[in-house]
Amino acid sequence: MMQLERQKKILDYLNKNRKATTKELSQLLDVSATTIRTDLNQMEEKLITKTHGGAVYNDRSLDNIELTGRAYIFDERALENRKEKEAIASKAIKLIKNHMCIYLDASSTCYTLGMKLSGFTKLTVIAGGASLIQPELTGKDLLMPFGKADSLALALKDVPGITVILTGGIVTSVSSSIEGLLGEDLLTKIHTDIAFVSARGFSVENGLTDFSIYEADLKRRCVKSSAKTIALIDHTKFNTTSISSYASLDDLNMVITDFGLSEHTKSIYENAGVNLVLAKEV
């Protein structure tokens, strides 16, 4: 079981039972007490409070804020709509070929795509974020442990055949993106074949929108310098709008979404001229 999946099960158990001992969790997940303690250490201060010999769930129901009003902590976003993001990433990776230069933004969906990048003989990846998850390499599989302050760029640098370029800027503590226009000069000099981007909101009227003005500005420049722009948007982002627009419908060559999109919503966006691709559940 992947560490991220195991920690999700721990969270679900604590959400239901409010508290648990290390022994309980160890027996529930069939792993050692040492492994459970490591998981709890990584999850502490984000979702739980450690106690002597166990943990208590932090009730964060009062912390919920409207989609347009906050930047979700990356670890939390990584747990949202996981099946949908896996399906979208599995569809998107089929578009990537050897000798391409691609851009991946700081979204958790693009991170999921990045974790599937293996088996290429020559691929350049421009990474737009320092996401707070440190992948471990196990053969050719890329696993996604929870809560380590390392980046997608650091994970991919050890994958054979991949060259990684990290855009410059200020690393944010909340969304784990790299903000500011220090990466602007880089994007004007490098031609990307495909820019893979996501967003906090997607609508016919406003296109792709994000909560960070600085991050949206960098994405806007990346879209302009790329031969193709492909948006990776799960169905929950449709018909929502965040603070800053960075790409209109005309800027998008394709939008890959998941199996949860309704037929009604699908017809609205297709009628608006969106090249919409639905990914099947994996």
Side-chain angles (χ1 to χ4, degrees):
M1 183 185 299
M2 292 172 56
Q3 189 176 32
L4 185 63
E5 181 181 0
R6 187 171 64 245
Q7 291 178 357
K8 178 64 167 59
K9 288 183 180 296
I10 291 173
L11 182 60
D12 289 343
Y13 186 83
L14 290 172
N15 188 17
K16 180 180 179 180
N17 298 281
R18 313 312 297 172
K19 61 182 180 178
T21 65
T22 302
K23 183 177 180 180
E24 281 180 83
L25 296 173
S26 175
Q27 293 174 344
L28 175 70
L29 299 173
D30 195 25
V31 295
S32 69
T34 300
T35 298
I36 293 298
R37 281 191 288 271
T38 299
D39 287 335
L40 297 181
N41 283 334
Q42 293 177 356
M43 297 169 71
E44 189 176 15
E45 296 182 359
K46 290 185 177 69
L47 302 169
I48 67 169
T49 298
K50 280 187 64 183
T51 62
H52 181 69
V56 176
Y57 175 71
N58 291 336
D59 188 350
R60 305 184 64 169
S61 59
L62 297 179
D63 295 336
N64 291 331
I65 302 175
E66 289 298 323
L67 175 67
T68 58
R70 80 167 176 128
Y72 289 98
I73 295 173
F74 189 92
D75 291 338
E76 295 178 8
R77 286 190 283 129
L79 293 173
E80 296 175 347
N81 306 314
R82 288 177 54 206
K83 288 183 179 180
E84 290 84 349
K85 291 172 183 177
E86 282 289 335
I88 291 170
S90 295
K91 192 75 173 180
I93 197 170
K94 296 176 182 179
L95 303 173
I96 303 173
K97 309 297 180 184
N98 276 316
H99 305 286
M100 277 187 172
C101 176
I102 66 171
Y103 172 82
L104 299 179
D105 73 7
S107 66
S108 55
T109 308
C110 283
Y111 190 94
T112 304
L113 173 59
M115 291 298 91
K116 296 180 179 294
L117 296 178
S118 62
F120 292 93
T121 57
K122 189 173 181 61
L123 182 68
T124 301
V125 178
I126 300 177
S131 47
L132 299 179
I133 296 179
Q134 177 185 13
E136 296 172 349
L137 297 177
T138 305
K140 292 185 178 180
D141 295 327
L142 293 167
L143 307 183
M144 292 172 55
F146 188 93
K148 293 291 186 178
D150 280 331
S151 68
L152 172 64
L154 291 179
L156 293 179
K157 74 178 179 63
D158 294 321
V159 179
I162 294 183
T163 299
V164 182
I165 300 172
L166 190 62
T167 59
I170 300 169
V171 180
T172 65
S173 61
V174 179
S175 68
S176 306
S177 62
I178 296 181
E179 294 184 345
L181 297 182
L182 295 178
E184 177 185 0
D185 189 52
L186 171 67
L187 294 176
T188 60
K189 294 179 179 178
I190 294 181
H191 168 81
T192 54
D193 296 289
I194 303 177
F196 290 99
V197 296
S198 191
R200 288 308 304 172
F202 181 47
S203 67
V204 171
E205 297 79 12
N206 299 302
L208 298 178
T209 55
D210 228 317
F211 49 74
S212 167
I213 295 173
Y214 298 106
E215 188 177 351
D217 202 7
L218 195 62
K219 288 184 183 183
R220 188 179 301 114
R221 294 165 193 271
C222 182
V223 167
K224 289 182 179 179
S225 65
S226 184
K228 290 183 179 180
T229 298
I230 297 177
L232 310 181
I233 308 291
D234 73 66
H235 72 278
T236 65
K237 310 293 177 58
F238 281 71
N239 300 325
T240 64
T241 299
S242 192
I243 299 170
S244 182
S245 297
Y246 72 86
S248 67
L249 299 189
D250 291 337
D251 292 322
L252 306 177
N253 297 91
M254 181 184 297
V255 175
I256 302 178
T257 189
D258 61 84
F259 43 86
L261 191 71
S262 70
E263 284 296 324
H264 175 67
T265 301
K266 178 175 179 287
S267 65
I268 291 175
Y269 283 80
E270 287 181 335
N271 289 338
V274 176
N275 179 16
L276 202 57
V277 175
L278 268 62
K280 296 180 180 179
E281 186 172 2
V282 294

PDB file of all heavy atoms in Angstrom, residues 136-175:
ATOM      1  N   GLU A 136       9.542   8.699  -3.630  1.00  0.00           N
ATOM      2  CA  GLU A 136      10.609   7.724  -3.496  1.00  0.00           C
ATOM      3  C   GLU A 136      10.625   6.884  -4.765  1.00  0.00           C
ATOM      4  O   GLU A 136       9.588   6.533  -5.299  1.00  0.00           O
ATOM      5  CB  GLU A 136      10.356   6.818  -2.287  1.00  0.00           C
ATOM      6  CG  GLU A 136      10.390   7.571  -0.966  1.00  0.00           C
ATOM      7  CD  GLU A 136       9.958   6.689   0.184  1.00  0.00           C
ATOM      8  OE1 GLU A 136       9.447   5.583  -0.099  1.00  0.00           O
ATOM      9  OE2 GLU A 136      10.115   7.101   1.342  1.00  0.00           O
ATOM     10  N   LEU A 137      11.804   6.567  -5.237  1.00  0.00           N
ATOM     11  CA  LEU A 137      11.911   5.769  -6.448  1.00  0.00           C
ATOM     12  C   LEU A 137      12.062   4.310  -6.061  1.00  0.00           C
ATOM     13  O   LEU A 137      12.954   3.938  -5.323  1.00  0.00           O
ATOM     14  CB  LEU A 137      13.119   6.226  -7.270  1.00  0.00           C
ATOM     15  CG  LEU A 137      13.040   7.675  -7.772  1.00  0.00           C
ATOM     16  CD1 LEU A 137      14.314   8.027  -8.515  1.00  0.00           C
ATOM     17  CD2 LEU A 137      11.844   7.865  -8.669  1.00  0.00           C
ATOM     18  N   THR A 138      11.172   3.475  -6.556  1.00  0.00           N
ATOM     19  CA  THR A 138      11.243   2.048  -6.316  1.00  0.00           C
ATOM     20  C   THR A 138      11.199   1.371  -7.670  1.00  0.00           C
ATOM     21  O   THR A 138      10.150   1.143  -8.238  1.00  0.00           O
ATOM     22  CB  THR A 138      10.061   1.567  -5.452  1.00  0.00           C
ATOM     23  OG1 THR A 138      10.031   2.337  -4.265  1.00  0.00           O
ATOM     24  CG2 THR A 138      10.224   0.094  -5.108  1.00  0.00           C
ATOM     25  N   GLY A 139      12.365   1.045  -8.225  1.00  0.00           N
ATOM     26  CA  GLY A 139      12.423   0.553  -9.586  1.00  0.00           C
ATOM     27  C   GLY A 139      11.954   1.622 -10.528  1.00  0.00           C
ATOM     28  O   GLY A 139      12.477   2.718 -10.550  1.00  0.00           O
ATOM     29  N   LYS A 140      10.893   1.337 -11.287  1.00  0.00           N
ATOM     30  CA  LYS A 140      10.341   2.313 -12.228  1.00  0.00           C
ATOM     31  C   LYS A 140       9.088   2.984 -11.686  1.00  0.00           C
ATOM     32  O   LYS A 140       8.524   3.844 -12.325  1.00  0.00           O
ATOM     33  CB  LYS A 140      10.019   1.628 -13.569  1.00  0.00           C
ATOM     34  CG  LYS A 140      11.258   1.169 -14.320  1.00  0.00           C
ATOM     35  CD  LYS A 140      10.873   0.624 -15.666  1.00  0.00           C
ATOM     36  CE  LYS A 140      12.090   0.204 -16.457  1.00  0.00           C
ATOM     37  NZ  LYS A 140      11.750  -0.337 -17.795  1.00  0.00           N
ATOM     38  N   ASP A 141       8.658   2.547 -10.486  1.00  0.00           N
ATOM     39  CA  ASP A 141       7.438   3.117  -9.933  1.00  0.00           C
ATOM     40  C   ASP A 141       7.766   4.329  -9.075  1.00  0.00           C
ATOM     41  O   ASP A 141       8.722   4.333  -8.314  1.00  0.00           O
ATOM     42  CB  ASP A 141       6.705   2.075  -9.064  1.00  0.00           C
ATOM     43  CG  ASP A 141       6.212   0.912  -9.900  1.00  0.00           C
ATOM     44  OD1 ASP A 141       5.859   1.163 -11.054  1.00  0.00           O
ATOM     45  OD2 ASP A 141       6.201  -0.218  -9.390  1.00  0.00           O
ATOM     46  N   LEU A 142       6.960   5.359  -9.178  1.00  0.00           N
ATOM     47  CA  LEU A 142       7.124   6.564  -8.380  1.00  0.00           C
ATOM     48  C   LEU A 142       6.005   6.620  -7.354  1.00  0.00           C
ATOM     49  O   LEU A 142       4.837   6.666  -7.706  1.00  0.00           O
ATOM     50  CB  LEU A 142       7.083   7.804  -9.282  1.00  0.00           C
ATOM     51  CG  LEU A 142       8.258   7.929 -10.248  1.00  0.00           C
ATOM     52  CD1 LEU A 142       7.939   8.992 -11.286  1.00  0.00           C
ATOM     53  CD2 LEU A 142       9.530   8.272  -9.521  1.00  0.00           C
ATOM     54  N   LEU A 143       6.391   6.576  -6.069  1.00  0.00           N
ATOM     55  CA  LEU A 143       5.422   6.586  -4.999  1.00  0.00           C
ATOM     56  C   LEU A 143       5.312   7.993  -4.421  1.00  0.00           C
ATOM     57  O   LEU A 143       6.211   8.801  -4.551  1.00  0.00           O
ATOM     58  CB  LEU A 143       5.822   5.589  -3.901  1.00  0.00           C
ATOM     59  CG  LEU A 143       6.105   4.166  -4.404  1.00  0.00           C
ATOM     60  CD1 LEU A 143       6.425   3.248  -3.234  1.00  0.00           C
ATOM     61  CD2 LEU A 143       4.930   3.615  -5.192  1.00  0.00           C
ATOM     62  N   MET A 144       4.210   8.291  -3.736  1.00  0.00           N
ATOM     63  CA  MET A 144       3.943   9.649  -3.277  1.00  0.00           C
ATOM     64  C   MET A 144       3.765   9.719  -1.764  1.00  0.00           C
ATOM     65  O   MET A 144       2.654   9.814  -1.255  1.00  0.00           O
ATOM     66  CB  MET A 144       2.688  10.186  -3.958  1.00  0.00           C
ATOM     67  CG  MET A 144       2.847  10.415  -5.431  1.00  0.00           C
ATOM     68  SD  MET A 144       1.291  10.821  -6.215  1.00  0.00           S
ATOM     69  CE  MET A 144       0.740  12.223  -5.266  1.00  0.00           C
ATOM     70  N   PRO A 145       4.831   9.670  -0.976  1.00  0.00           N
ATOM     71  CA  PRO A 145       4.696   9.858   0.465  1.00  0.00           C
ATOM     72  C   PRO A 145       4.198  11.251   0.798  1.00  0.00           C
ATOM     73  O   PRO A 145       4.283  12.161  -0.004  1.00  0.00           O
ATOM     74  CB  PRO A 145       6.111   9.631   0.992  1.00  0.00           C
ATOM     75  CG  PRO A 145       6.753   8.786  -0.039  1.00  0.00           C
ATOM     76  CD  PRO A 145       6.172   9.249  -1.336  1.00  0.00           C
ATOM     77  N   PHE A 146       3.761  11.394   2.044  1.00  0.00           N
ATOM     78  CA  PHE A 146       2.997  12.570   2.451  1.00  0.00           C
ATOM     79  C   PHE A 146       3.851  13.499   3.308  1.00  0.00           C
ATOM     80  O   PHE A 146       4.444  13.103   4.280  1.00  0.00           O
ATOM     81  CB  PHE A 146       1.799  12.053   3.253  1.00  0.00           C
ATOM     82  CG  PHE A 146       0.768  13.046   3.613  1.00  0.00           C
ATOM     83  CD1 PHE A 146      -0.330  13.228   2.793  1.00  0.00           C
ATOM     84  CD2 PHE A 146       0.862  13.775   4.781  1.00  0.00           C
ATOM     85  CE1 PHE A 146      -1.320  14.111   3.137  1.00  0.00           C
ATOM     86  CE2 PHE A 146      -0.126  14.662   5.126  1.00  0.00           C
ATOM     87  CZ  PHE A 146      -1.218  14.819   4.315  1.00  0.00           C
ATOM     88  N   GLY A 147       3.919  14.790   2.934  1.00  0.00           N
ATOM     89  CA  GLY A 147       4.389  15.793   3.855  1.00  0.00           C
ATOM     90  C   GLY A 147       5.864  16.071   3.905  1.00  0.00           C
ATOM     91  O   GLY A 147       6.350  16.652   4.858  1.00  0.00           O
ATOM     92  N   LYS A 148       6.665  15.685   2.947  1.00  0.00           N
ATOM     93  CA  LYS A 148       8.089  15.977   2.955  1.00  0.00           C
ATOM     94  C   LYS A 148       8.366  17.199   2.096  1.00  0.00           C
ATOM     95  O   LYS A 148       7.862  17.330   0.991  1.00  0.00           O
ATOM     96  CB  LYS A 148       8.896  14.788   2.419  1.00  0.00           C
ATOM     97  CG  LYS A 148       8.844  13.551   3.316  1.00  0.00           C
ATOM     98  CD  LYS A 148       9.597  13.789   4.598  1.00  0.00           C
ATOM     99  CE  LYS A 148       9.680  12.505   5.421  1.00  0.00           C
ATOM    100  NZ  LYS A 148      10.430  12.683   6.646  1.00  0.00           N
ATOM    101  N   ALA A 149       9.244  18.073   2.574  1.00  0.00           N
ATOM    102  CA  ALA A 149       9.479  19.348   1.889  1.00  0.00           C
ATOM    103  C   ALA A 149      10.493  19.205   0.769  1.00  0.00           C
ATOM    104  O   ALA A 149      11.554  19.800   0.781  1.00  0.00           O
ATOM    105  CB  ALA A 149       9.909  20.401   2.903  1.00  0.00           C
ATOM    106  N   ASP A 150      10.216  18.378  -0.168  1.00  0.00           N
ATOM    107  CA  ASP A 150      11.014  18.268  -1.379  1.00  0.00           C
ATOM    108  C   ASP A 150      10.092  18.432  -2.566  1.00  0.00           C
ATOM    109  O   ASP A 150       8.886  18.492  -2.431  1.00  0.00           O
ATOM    110  CB  ASP A 150      11.735  16.920  -1.438  1.00  0.00           C
ATOM    111  CG  ASP A 150      12.991  16.900  -0.589  1.00  0.00           C
ATOM    112  OD1 ASP A 150      13.606  17.954  -0.410  1.00  0.00           O
ATOM    113  OD2 ASP A 150      13.326  15.822  -0.105  1.00  0.00           O
ATOM    114  N   SER A 151      10.642  18.461  -3.779  1.00  0.00           N
ATOM    115  CA  SER A 151       9.815  18.845  -4.909  1.00  0.00           C
ATOM    116  C   SER A 151       9.736  17.782  -5.978  1.00  0.00           C
ATOM    117  O   SER A 151      10.498  16.821  -6.013  1.00  0.00           O
ATOM    118  CB  SER A 151      10.379  20.122  -5.528  1.00  0.00           C
ATOM    119  OG  SER A 151      11.622  19.850  -6.120  1.00  0.00           O
ATOM    120  N   LEU A 152       8.776  17.994  -6.856  1.00  0.00           N
ATOM    121  CA  LEU A 152       8.667  17.179  -8.054  1.00  0.00           C
ATOM    122  C   LEU A 152       9.964  17.225  -8.837  1.00  0.00           C
ATOM    123  O   LEU A 152      10.419  16.218  -9.372  1.00  0.00           O
ATOM    124  CB  LEU A 152       7.506  17.701  -8.901  1.00  0.00           C
ATOM    125  CG  LEU A 152       7.325  17.106 -10.302  1.00  0.00           C
ATOM    126  CD1 LEU A 152       7.012  15.632 -10.202  1.00  0.00           C
ATOM    127  CD2 LEU A 152       6.220  17.837 -11.027  1.00  0.00           C
ATOM    128  N   ALA A 153      10.569  18.392  -8.884  1.00  0.00           N
ATOM    129  CA  ALA A 153      11.831  18.541  -9.618  1.00  0.00           C
ATOM    130  C   ALA A 153      12.902  17.632  -9.048  1.00  0.00           C
ATOM    131  O   ALA A 153      13.652  16.991  -9.795  1.00  0.00           O
ATOM    132  CB  ALA A 153      12.289  19.998  -9.563  1.00  0.00           C
ATOM    133  N   LEU A 154      13.002  17.543  -7.737  1.00  0.00           N
ATOM    134  CA  LEU A 154      14.002  16.689  -7.104  1.00  0.00           C
ATOM    135  C   LEU A 154      13.709  15.213  -7.355  1.00  0.00           C
ATOM    136  O   LEU A 154      14.619  14.403  -7.469  1.00  0.00           O
ATOM    137  CB  LEU A 154      14.059  16.963  -5.604  1.00  0.00           C
ATOM    138  CG  LEU A 154      14.631  18.315  -5.188  1.00  0.00           C
ATOM    139  CD1 LEU A 154      14.611  18.456  -3.669  1.00  0.00           C
ATOM    140  CD2 LEU A 154      16.050  18.482  -5.710  1.00  0.00           C
ATOM    141  N   ALA A 155      12.434  14.866  -7.433  1.00  0.00           N
ATOM    142  CA  ALA A 155      12.077  13.477  -7.710  1.00  0.00           C
ATOM    143  C   ALA A 155      12.450  13.089  -9.133  1.00  0.00           C
ATOM    144  O   ALA A 155      13.031  12.036  -9.380  1.00  0.00           O
ATOM    145  CB  ALA A 155      10.586  13.277  -7.480  1.00  0.00           C
ATOM    146  N   LEU A 156      12.118  13.951 -10.077  1.00  0.00           N
ATOM    147  CA  LEU A 156      12.321  13.622 -11.487  1.00  0.00           C
ATOM    148  C   LEU A 156      13.784  13.676 -11.914  1.00  0.00           C
ATOM    149  O   LEU A 156      14.152  13.093 -12.926  1.00  0.00           O
ATOM    150  CB  LEU A 156      11.491  14.561 -12.363  1.00  0.00           C
ATOM    151  CG  LEU A 156       9.975  14.405 -12.259  1.00  0.00           C
ATOM    152  CD1 LEU A 156       9.286  15.421 -13.163  1.00  0.00           C
ATOM    153  CD2 LEU A 156       9.535  12.994 -12.612  1.00  0.00           C
ATOM    154  N   LYS A 157      14.616  14.378 -11.154  1.00  0.00           N
ATOM    155  CA  LYS A 157      16.019  14.513 -11.567  1.00  0.00           C
ATOM    156  C   LYS A 157      16.735  13.168 -11.595  1.00  0.00           C
ATOM    157  O   LYS A 157      17.739  13.010 -12.299  1.00  0.00           O
ATOM    158  CB  LYS A 157      16.767  15.467 -10.629  1.00  0.00           C
ATOM    159  CG  LYS A 157      17.088  14.906  -9.260  1.00  0.00           C
ATOM    160  CD  LYS A 157      17.862  15.882  -8.423  1.00  0.00           C
ATOM    161  CE  LYS A 157      18.157  15.319  -7.039  1.00  0.00           C
ATOM    162  NZ  LYS A 157      19.003  14.117  -7.090  1.00  0.00           N
ATOM    163  N   ASP A 158      16.236  12.186 -10.858  1.00  0.00           N
ATOM    164  CA  ASP A 158      16.861  10.863 -10.813  1.00  0.00           C
ATOM    165  C   ASP A 158      16.222   9.861 -11.770  1.00  0.00           C
ATOM    166  O   ASP A 158      16.614   8.702 -11.798  1.00  0.00           O
ATOM    167  CB  ASP A 158      16.798  10.311  -9.390  1.00  0.00           C
ATOM    168  CG  ASP A 158      17.645  11.115  -8.418  1.00  0.00           C
ATOM    169  OD1 ASP A 158      18.749  11.540  -8.825  1.00  0.00           O
ATOM    170  OD2 ASP A 158      17.210  11.326  -7.275  1.00  0.00           O
ATOM    171  N   VAL A 159      15.227  10.309 -12.519  1.00  0.00           N
ATOM    172  CA  VAL A 159      14.580   9.405 -13.478  1.00  0.00           C
ATOM    173  C   VAL A 159      15.363   9.428 -14.791  1.00  0.00           C
ATOM    174  O   VAL A 159      15.549  10.499 -15.377  1.00  0.00           O
ATOM    175  CB  VAL A 159      13.116   9.826 -13.727  1.00  0.00           C
ATOM    176  CG1 VAL A 159      12.455   8.892 -14.733  1.00  0.00           C
ATOM    177  CG2 VAL A 159      12.330   9.828 -12.414  1.00  0.00           C
ATOM    178  N   PRO A 160      15.838   8.280 -15.259  1.00  0.00           N
ATOM    179  CA  PRO A 160      16.628   8.243 -16.497  1.00  0.00           C
ATOM    180  C   PRO A 160      15.879   8.853 -17.675  1.00  0.00           C
ATOM    181  O   PRO A 160      14.683   8.630 -17.849  1.00  0.00           O
ATOM    182  CB  PRO A 160      16.857   6.741 -16.712  1.00  0.00           C
ATOM    183  CG  PRO A 160      16.745   6.135 -15.355  1.00  0.00           C
ATOM    184  CD  PRO A 160      15.690   6.948 -14.644  1.00  0.00           C
ATOM    185  N   GLY A 161      16.595   9.654 -18.467  1.00  0.00           N
ATOM    186  CA  GLY A 161      16.034  10.214 -19.688  1.00  0.00           C
ATOM    187  C   GLY A 161      15.325  11.544 -19.498  1.00  0.00           C
ATOM    188  O   GLY A 161      14.876  12.140 -20.469  1.00  0.00           O
ATOM    189  N   ILE A 162      15.204  12.021 -18.253  1.00  0.00           N
ATOM    190  CA  ILE A 162      14.474  13.263 -17.996  1.00  0.00           C
ATOM    191  C   ILE A 162      15.416  14.367 -17.529  1.00  0.00           C
ATOM    192  O   ILE A 162      16.201  14.174 -16.608  1.00  0.00           O
ATOM    193  CB  ILE A 162      13.359  13.049 -16.954  1.00  0.00           C
ATOM    194  CG1 ILE A 162      12.287  12.120 -17.523  1.00  0.00           C
ATOM    195  CG2 ILE A 162      12.732  14.377 -16.546  1.00  0.00           C
ATOM    196  CD1 ILE A 162      11.111  11.897 -16.598  1.00  0.00           C
ATOM    197  N   THR A 163      15.326  15.518 -18.187  1.00  0.00           N
ATOM    198  CA  THR A 163      16.019  16.725 -17.758  1.00  0.00           C
ATOM    199  C   THR A 163      14.997  17.656 -17.132  1.00  0.00           C
ATOM    200  O   THR A 163      13.949  17.923 -17.720  1.00  0.00           O
ATOM    201  CB  THR A 163      16.699  17.432 -18.949  1.00  0.00           C
ATOM    202  OG1 THR A 163      17.659  16.543 -19.526  1.00  0.00           O
ATOM    203  CG2 THR A 163      17.402  18.702 -18.495  1.00  0.00           C
ATOM    204  N   VAL A 164      15.284  18.152 -15.935  1.00  0.00           N
ATOM    205  CA  VAL A 164      14.335  18.980 -15.205  1.00  0.00           C
ATOM    206  C   VAL A 164      14.840  20.413 -15.100  1.00  0.00           C
ATOM    207  O   VAL A 164      15.998  20.657 -14.763  1.00  0.00           O
ATOM    208  CB  VAL A 164      14.088  18.432 -13.784  1.00  0.00           C
ATOM    209  CG1 VAL A 164      13.054  19.280 -13.062  1.00  0.00           C
ATOM    210  CG2 VAL A 164      13.631  16.990 -13.841  1.00  0.00           C
ATOM    211  N   ILE A 165      13.955  21.358 -15.408  1.00  0.00           N
ATOM    212  CA  ILE A 165      14.245  22.785 -15.239  1.00  0.00           C
ATOM    213  C   ILE A 165      13.204  23.351 -14.298  1.00  0.00           C
ATOM    214  O   ILE A 165      11.999  23.176 -14.504  1.00  0.00           O
ATOM    215  CB  ILE A 165      14.194  23.530 -16.593  1.00  0.00           C
ATOM    216  CG1 ILE A 165      15.222  22.938 -17.568  1.00  0.00           C
ATOM    217  CG2 ILE A 165      14.449  25.023 -16.389  1.00  0.00           C
ATOM    218  CD1 ILE A 165      15.109  23.495 -18.976  1.00  0.00           C
ATOM    219  N   LEU A 166      13.654  24.033 -13.237  1.00  0.00           N
ATOM    220  CA  LEU A 166      12.738  24.613 -12.268  1.00  0.00           C
ATOM    221  C   LEU A 166      12.645  26.110 -12.497  1.00  0.00           C
ATOM    222  O   LEU A 166      13.656  26.804 -12.559  1.00  0.00           O
ATOM    223  CB  LEU A 166      13.241  24.341 -10.848  1.00  0.00           C
ATOM    224  CG  LEU A 166      12.303  24.663  -9.687  1.00  0.00           C
ATOM    225  CD1 LEU A 166      11.038  23.829  -9.769  1.00  0.00           C
ATOM    226  CD2 LEU A 166      13.001  24.425  -8.360  1.00  0.00           C
ATOM    227  N   THR A 167      11.419  26.616 -12.644  1.00  0.00           N
ATOM    228  CA  THR A 167      11.248  28.055 -12.837  1.00  0.00           C
ATOM    229  C   THR A 167      11.629  28.788 -11.554  1.00  0.00           C
ATOM    230  O   THR A 167      11.378  28.298 -10.452  1.00  0.00           O
ATOM    231  CB  THR A 167       9.790  28.411 -13.195  1.00  0.00           C
ATOM    232  OG1 THR A 167       8.934  27.965 -12.148  1.00  0.00           O
ATOM    233  CG2 THR A 167       9.388  27.780 -14.498  1.00  0.00           C
ATOM    234  N   GLY A 168      12.225  29.945 -11.693  1.00  0.00           N
ATOM    235  CA  GLY A 168      12.654  30.710 -10.531  1.00  0.00           C
ATOM    236  C   GLY A 168      11.520  31.511  -9.931  1.00  0.00           C
ATOM    237  O   GLY A 168      10.563  31.864 -10.607  1.00  0.00           O
ATOM    238  N   GLY A 169      11.633  31.792  -8.641  1.00  0.00           N
ATOM    239  CA  GLY A 169      10.613  32.599  -7.998  1.00  0.00           C
ATOM    240  C   GLY A 169      10.569  32.362  -6.513  1.00  0.00           C
ATOM    241  O   GLY A 169      11.479  31.782  -5.933  1.00  0.00           O
ATOM    242  N   ILE A 170       9.502  32.807  -5.883  1.00  0.00           N
ATOM    243  CA  ILE A 170       9.330  32.699  -4.446  1.00  0.00           C
ATOM    244  C   ILE A 170       8.470  31.478  -4.150  1.00  0.00           C
ATOM    245  O   ILE A 170       7.361  31.334  -4.669  1.00  0.00           O
ATOM    246  CB  ILE A 170       8.637  33.961  -3.897  1.00  0.00           C
ATOM    247  CG1 ILE A 170       9.484  35.192  -4.211  1.00  0.00           C
ATOM    248  CG2 ILE A 170       8.406  33.843  -2.394  1.00  0.00           C
ATOM    249  CD1 ILE A 170       8.761  36.499  -3.954  1.00  0.00           C
ATOM    250  N   VAL A 171       8.983  30.579  -3.302  1.00  0.00           N
ATOM    251  CA  VAL A 171       8.234  29.380  -2.945  1.00  0.00           C
ATOM    252  C   VAL A 171       7.222  29.726  -1.863  1.00  0.00           C
ATOM    253  O   VAL A 171       7.580  30.219  -0.797  1.00  0.00           O
ATOM    254  CB  VAL A 171       9.171  28.265  -2.439  1.00  0.00           C
ATOM    255  CG1 VAL A 171       8.367  27.020  -2.079  1.00  0.00           C
ATOM    256  CG2 VAL A 171      10.208  27.923  -3.493  1.00  0.00           C
ATOM    257  N   THR A 172       5.938  29.474  -2.135  1.00  0.00           N
ATOM    258  CA  THR A 172       4.889  29.790  -1.164  1.00  0.00           C
ATOM    259  C   THR A 172       4.743  28.653  -0.172  1.00  0.00           C
ATOM    260  O   THR A 172       4.903  27.486  -0.514  1.00  0.00           O
ATOM    261  CB  THR A 172       3.540  30.029  -1.857  1.00  0.00           C
ATOM    262  OG1 THR A 172       3.116  28.811  -2.479  1.00  0.00           O
ATOM    263  CG2 THR A 172       3.661  31.128  -2.893  1.00  0.00           C
ATOM    264  N   SER A 173       4.399  28.995   1.064  1.00  0.00           N
ATOM    265  CA  SER A 173       4.255  27.986   2.104  1.00  0.00           C
ATOM    266  C   SER A 173       2.911  27.290   2.060  1.00  0.00           C
ATOM    267  O   SER A 173       2.727  26.240   2.630  1.00  0.00           O
ATOM    268  CB  SER A 173       4.436  28.629   3.487  1.00  0.00           C
ATOM    269  OG  SER A 173       3.443  29.613   3.704  1.00  0.00           O
ATOM    270  N   VAL A 174       1.940  27.886   1.360  1.00  0.00           N
ATOM    271  CA  VAL A 174       0.581  27.332   1.365  1.00  0.00           C
ATOM    272  C   VAL A 174       0.332  26.431   0.171  1.00  0.00           C
ATOM    273  O   VAL A 174       0.043  25.261   0.306  1.00  0.00           O
ATOM    274  CB  VAL A 174      -0.466  28.466   1.396  1.00  0.00           C
ATOM    275  CG1 VAL A 174      -1.872  27.892   1.383  1.00  0.00           C
ATOM    276  CG2 VAL A 174      -0.262  29.319   2.641  1.00  0.00           C
ATOM    277  N   SER A 175       0.479  26.979  -1.023  1.00  0.00           N
ATOM    278  CA  SER A 175       0.134  26.207  -2.221  1.00  0.00           C
ATOM    279  C   SER A 175       1.321  25.469  -2.794  1.00  0.00           C
ATOM    280  O   SER A 175       1.180  24.651  -3.690  1.00  0.00           O
ATOM    281  CB  SER A 175      -0.432  27.136  -3.305  1.00  0.00           C
ATOM    282  OG  SER A 175       0.571  28.006  -3.786  1.00  0.00           O
TER     283      SER A 175
END
